[in-house]
Amino acid sequence: MRTIDLARTAIANTFRSKLRTTLTVLALFVGAFTLTITTALGAGVSSYIETQVNAFAADNVLLVQAQTDATLAAESDGPAEWDPESSTSSNAQAGGTPLAGAQAEPLTDDDLDAIAAIDGISGLDPVRTVSTDWVSHDESGQFEFAVNPQSAVTVADLEAGAQLDQGSSSFQVVLPNDYLEALDFDSADDAVGAEITIGMTDITGETHELTAEVVGVSRSSLFASGAGANNALVTELSSLRTAGIEGADENSVIAIAYLDDGLSTTEIDDVTAALDDAGFSAQTIEDQLGIVTTIIAGITGVLNAFAIVALIAAAFGIVNTLLMSVQERTREIGLMKAMGMSSGRIFTLFSLEAITIGVIGSLLGVGAAMLVGSGIGAALAAGPLAELEGLSLFAFEPLSLLGVVLLISAIAFVSGALPASRAARQRPIESLRYE
Amino acid sequence: MSSLTAPAAAPPPALEAVHLSKHYGSGANRFDALSDVSLSIAAGECVAIVGKSGSGKSTLMHVLAVLDAPSEGEVRIHGTNARSLSARALNRLRNREFGFVFQQFFLNAQQSVIDNVTLPLTIAGQRRGARRERARDVLASLDLLEKAAAKAITLSGGQKQRTVIARALAGSPSVIFADEPTGNLDSATGALVEDLLFSLNREQGITLVIVTHDDELAARCDRQVVLRDGRIVSDSAAPVLEEASR
Ligand SMILES: Nc1ncnc2c1ncn2[C@@H]1O[C@H](COP(=O)(O)OP(=O)(O)OP(=O)(O)O)[C@@H](O)[C@H]1O
Ligand SMILES: [Mg+2]
C-alpha cells in the first residue's frame, strides 16, 4: 500500500466514527490548550523579567559586599532585618531594587584594594550614597525624587531619548515615564532635552538645587525604579551631601566590580570563589534575581504538570478509541491481511489514525489557546496590568507551539501503539470468522 | 517459483495438499475439521469442492490459500512448501496470485463500491488512476458499473455478491478461490457470474477452486472433490450428485 493511500485511509477512518473521534480530540484539545497557555504565560513573564533584568547590563558586573550573616540571609528569601543605621540612606542605597536585601558592613579602603587586586576584576566602583528630595520642571511644583545609585551599571528600558553618557561631565538624567505628567511634559519625546531641577539636603541640613538634562525617558520597571543619573551627577550629589566635611562620607556597602571582557561563566565563578575566600560575597545581578525567575519557573512548572495530567487522561482516551476501532474493524483488518497487506502496514495505518487524532486535537488546542491568550493578554494589559509596561503576558513562540503539537502527536502515537500492534498481530482467518 | 521436489519435466501442480490435517482445540475438545487430505490441482484446472455443511470445505479452501496453517501436512504452491515462504512472500502471493470470494461478503459498508473493488490493488501499491480504471473494467463486465460510486451498504444481496467477485478479479489473479460465489444470486445473475468465471478459466487459464452446494455449478467444473467429515470421499471428473446433495 502506498503511503499516500495509507494516509488517506487513516484520515477517512478517523472520521468514520465522528462522535468517538470528537470526544477523543476534545480530551487532547484540553491538554494542548492548557500546555500552550501555560508555556506562553511562562515565556511571556520570563521574557518580561529578562528585559527588566537586562536593564542592569549585568553581563560583566559583580556586586560585592563584605560577608556577614546578613549576606547569608539575603541569599535566602527571609526578610531583611531592620537597621536604623542603613535606613537613613535606604532611599538611595536601595533605590527600590531588590539588590540590597540586607545591609552588610561598609567596605573599608583596604577591602576595596583587596577586591581590586583579584584576578579578573578590571575596575571597581563603590556605590556612592546619594539622597535627593525632589524634582521640578518649570512651574510644575516639586515631586519626591530618588536617584538609582546603580545607574552606572544599568541600561534603561528606554521609551524615548538615549542612554546616559557616563563619560560626560554634564549632569544627565534618565527620567522614569511616570514623572512625565507631573512635570508637565506632553510626551516622552517632549521631555528629552529638557532641564529639570533637583533638590537635596546635605548632612548639615542645608538645601541645595542643581539642574540636569533629561537625556532619556525610561519605562517603569519591576526592579530599576528611580531615575538614572550619570557619573558626573552622582559624584556631584554625593559630594554635596557630605557638605565638604572630612570623614562624613560613609563608606559604601556595595561595590560594583567590573569584570575583564570576555570571561566565561566558569571564569566568573572563579572570581566569585576568590572573592569568597577573601571574605566578600559577590553576586551577578542575575544571581540576585534568580529567586524571581525560580518562582516563575515553579509556577509554570506546576501549571504544565496539570496540562500533562490532562494529556495522560487524553492518552487513555486514544487507547480506548483505537481499541474500539480495532475491535469494530476486525473483519476489515482480516480482509486486508488476507489480501496480502503486511502487518507493518496495518500497524502504520492505525498509528496514523492515532496521529491524525493527535494532530487535530493539538492544532485546535493551540489555536484556541492563542485566541484566548491574546484576548486575555490584551484585556489585562489594558486594565489591571497596565502598570507593567512592556509586559505581554502570553508570548506564543513558534518553536514552543510546534513543540506542543509534536509532543501531543507523539503521545497520540505512543497511545496508538498498543491498539495498532493488536491489529497488526491479528491472524487473518480468525478475524474473518469474527462475528 | 521452482522446486527440487517436482519431476524434472512436468511443471509442478499449481496447488498441492499433502496429508493435510486441521484440528481445532485439544484433548477431549479436539475437533478434526480436516483429516489426511491429499489433493493436487494443476494450473488452469477448475475444481469444485462439495460436501455437506460443516464437512470442512471452507477450512480446506483457507488452508489451500495459505490463509490458515494446517496442523499437519503441507501445502505446496508450484511445488514450494508454503511453510518455507517468508511472511512477505506469502503476502505477495495472496495479493498478486490469488483472488478471494469469501462465504460472507466482507465489504466495507461505508465505502463506495469502487473503493471496495480496488482494495487488492490499493494494497498492491497501484496508483489511484490505474486501479480505478481497472476496477471500472471489471465492474462493467459484471454489469455493475452504474453502482461504482454507491456505498456498499446500499446494494442488494446480488449486487454485493457481484461486487465481491469484482474485487476478487480486480488483481488479475492466477487462482480464484470462491466460497459459494452464486449462493446469494438469482438464477440469471448466477448464470452471469458463472459464465464470467468459466470464461476466465477457459480463455485466460485462471485456476478456479469453487466451494459450492449447487450441483449444477459443480457439474460445470472439470473435477469435483467431495468432502465428508473432513475426509475426501471422492475425487473425480464426473458429478457425484448423491454425495453433494442435502
Ligand atoms: N475456529 C474454529 N474453531 C472450532 N471449530 C471450527 C473452527 N472453524 C471451523 N470449525 C469447525 O470445522 C468444521 C468445518 O468448518 P467449515 O467452515 O470448513 O465447514 P463448511 O464445509 O465450509 O460448511 P458450510 O457449507 O456450512 O460453509 C465445522 O464443524 C466447524 O464447526
Ligand atoms: Mg463454508
Side-chain angles (χ1 to χ4, degrees):
Chain A
M1 207 168 183
R2 289 151 57 83
T3 311
I4 171 104
D5 288 321
L6 272 178
R8 201 181 281 152
T9 313
I11 291 171
N13 286 342
T14 310
F15 291 106
R16 227 195 268 180
S17 174
K18 292 195 182 58
L19 180 63
R20 203 165 60 200
T21 303
T22 310
L23 290 174
T24 318
V25 162
L26 256 175
L28 285 174
F29 172 90
V30 172
F33 182 88
T34 320
L35 206 57
T36 311
I37 282 281
T38 53
T39 317
L41 185 65
V45 175
S46 314
S47 101
Y48 175 66
I49 303 268
E50 205 159 291
T51 356
Q52 302 290 326
V53 171
N54 281 347
F56 289 98
D59 281 358
N60 56 350
V61 170
L62 285 178
L63 298 181
V64 186
Q65 300 180 289
Q67 270 175 4
T68 62
D69 293 345
T71 317
L72 297 176
E75 294 198 304
S76 76
D77 46 353
E81 243 173 84
W82 168 249
D83 180 352
E85 284 283 294
S86 63
S87 70
T88 53
S89 60
S90 68
N91 173 28
Q93 280 275 1
T97 77
L99 301 179
Q103 291 293 346
E105 288 294 300
L107 298 164
T108 63
D109 289 345
D110 287 345
D111 287 341
L112 295 178
D113 290 343
I115 295 168
I118 284 171
D119 271 354
I121 292 178
S122 59
L124 193 64
D125 247 346
V127 174
R128 265 183 261 268
T129 307
V130 294
S131 71
T132 49
D133 298 334
W134 52 260
V135 67
S136 73
H137 168 243
D138 287 348
E139 308 292 298
S140 70
Q142 297 171 347
F143 294 91
E144 271 187 30
F145 191 62
V147 166
N148 176 359
Q150 283 151 6
S151 42
V153 291
T154 68
V155 176
D157 183 13
L158 286 178
E159 188 177 334
Q163 301 289 351
L164 296 167
D165 178 0
Q166 301 295 0
S168 166
S169 58
S170 63
F171 299 156
Q172 295 183 348
V173 165
V174 167
L175 197 65
N177 64 359
D178 43 9
Y179 278 89
L180 289 177
E181 204 176 323
L183 297 184
D184 288 341
F185 292 115
D186 294 337
S187 67
D189 289 320
D190 187 30
V192 175
E195 300 263 290
I196 54 169
T197 310
I198 298 169
M200 64 166 296
T201 313
D202 70 24
I203 53 173
T204 63
E206 203 172 322
T207 60
H208 303 269
E209 286 180 20
L210 41 86
T211 44
E213 186 197 346
V214 177
V215 292
V217 175
S218 63
R219 296 198 175 86
S220 51
S221 135
L222 274 188
F223 307 121
S225 72
N230 69 342
N231 271 334
L233 181 57
V234 170
T235 314
E236 178 67 11
L237 286 170
S238 171
S239 59
L240 277 177
R241 180 174 172 277
T242 55
I245 297 172
E246 198 64 36
D249 191 4
E250 297 157 24
N251 277 323
S252 302
V253 173
I254 300 179
I256 298 166
Y258 298 91
L259 296 166
D260 291 343
D261 283 340
L263 287 191
S264 69
T265 358
T266 43
E267 285 168 324
I268 294 178
D269 287 345
D270 289 345
V271 174
T272 314
L275 283 166
D276 198 53
D277 290 344
F280 304 103
S281 78
Q283 286 183 303
T284 64
I285 292 170
E286 274 142 348
D287 285 341
Q288 298 209 340
L289 293 168
I291 191 83
V292 180
T293 31
T294 310
I295 289 170
I296 289 164
I299 292 171
T300 44
V302 168
L303 292 175
N304 279 339
F306 284 125
I308 296 293
V309 169
L311 283 175
I312 289 171
F316 285 107
I318 294 181
V319 175
N320 190 40
T321 301
L322 284 175
L323 276 180
M324 282 169 73
S325 180
V326 169
Q327 182 86 355
E328 247 169 41
R329 282 149 58 193
T330 303
R331 281 164 163 230
E332 193 184 327
I333 297 164
L335 183 72
M336 289 192 290
K337 296 193 87 171
M339 292 187 167
M341 184 137 153
S342 69
S343 302
R345 295 259 118 177
I346 299 267
F347 181 86
T348 313
L349 181 63
F350 279 88
S351 296
L352 279 176
E353 276 181 46
I355 292 173
T356 305
I357 292 175
V359 168
I360 296 173
S362 56
L363 285 183
L364 289 179
V366 166
M370 287 177 74
L371 281 181
V372 172
S374 318
I376 292 178
L380 286 180
L385 299 181
E387 293 282 286
L388 300 175
E389 276 182 59
L391 170 65
S392 59
L393 200 54
F394 299 96
F396 297 100
E397 293 159 346
L399 266 184
S400 54
L401 296 182
L402 186 69
V404 170
V405 173
L406 288 182
L407 173 74
I408 290 173
S409 304
I411 289 176
F413 171 75
V414 170
S415 332
L418 170 74
S421 73
R422 181 171 284 197
R425 272 188 283 111
Q426 278 181 12
R427 302 253 304 278
I429 201 63
E430 271 151 32
S431 316
L432 288 174
R433 280 191 188 275
Y434 178 85
E435 292 293 332
Chain B
M1 256 170 273
S2 68
S3 166
L4 300 173
T5 58
L15 293 170
E16 206 178 355
V18 185
H19 302 299
L20 277 189
S21 294
K22 177 75 187 175
H23 46 82
Y24 296 104
S26 60
N29 292 324
R30 179 171 146 148
F31 177 82
D32 292 305
L34 292 176
S35 313
D36 194 23
V37 170
S38 291
L39 185 69
S40 171
I41 300 172
E45 222 180 337
C46 170
V47 180
I49 299 175
V50 289
K52 290 203 182 91
S53 178
S55 58
K57 305 183 296 292
S58 297
T59 306
L60 177 58
M61 185 188 106
H62 294 152
V63 174
L64 282 176
V66 282
L67 286 170
D68 207 356
S71 310
E72 279 140 41
E74 63 185 52
V75 172
R76 297 186 192 144
I77 293 124
H78 294 293
T80 310
N81 186 353
R83 242 184 263 275
S84 71
L85 294 174
S86 66
R88 199 187 155 87
L90 281 178
N91 281 332
R92 208 182 151 81
L93 177 75
R94 287 201 303 263
N95 186 245
R96 307 279 160 98
E97 303 294 326
F98 293 172
F100 294 102
V101 178
F102 294 105
Q103 205 166 354
Q104 294 97 337
F105 297 130
F106 298 136
L107 288 170
N108 292 330
Q110 298 302 324
Q111 280 179 1
S112 67
V113 167
I114 197 156
D115 283 345
N116 271 286
V117 171
T118 52
L119 184 60
L121 304 177
T122 311
I123 291 171
Q126 271 191 25
R127 291 186 174 278
R128 190 176 154 89
R131 63 185 193 237
R132 289 179 84 88
E133 201 181 308
R134 166 74 188 150
R136 260 191 284 273
D137 288 348
V138 178
L139 283 172
S141 70
L142 284 158
D143 202 13
L144 208 61
L145 195 52
E146 78 274 18
K147 287 288 178 188
K151 274 191 178 181
I153 199 170
T154 65
L155 299 180
S156 73
Q159 288 167 338
K160 282 182 187 161
Q161 183 70 303
R162 279 183 284 156
T163 307
V164 166
I165 289 168
R167 185 177 62 193
L169 299 179
S172 315
S174 62
V175 184
I176 291 178
F177 294 93
D179 203 343
E180 306 286 2
T182 58
N184 298 288
L185 303 180
D186 62 66
S187 54
T189 332
L192 177 83
V193 166
E194 283 177 29
D195 290 347
L196 183 79
L197 287 175
F198 287 120
S199 75
L200 286 169
N201 173 244
R202 259 193 326 273
E203 285 153 26
Q204 297 176 32
I206 291 175
T207 312
L208 293 183
V209 178
I210 300 176
V211 171
T212 185
H213 289 118
D214 182 347
D215 299 335
E216 273 177 51
L217 174 56
R220 287 183 72 177
C221 293
D222 304 339
R223 180 176 162 196
Q224 292 74 30
V225 174
V226 183
L227 285 181
R228 189 192 291 151
D229 297 335
R231 290 177 190 276
I232 294 181
V233 291
S234 102
D235 178 354
S236 78
V240 191
L241 295 174
E242 69 280 10
E243 293 286 355
S245 63
R246 53 169 182 166

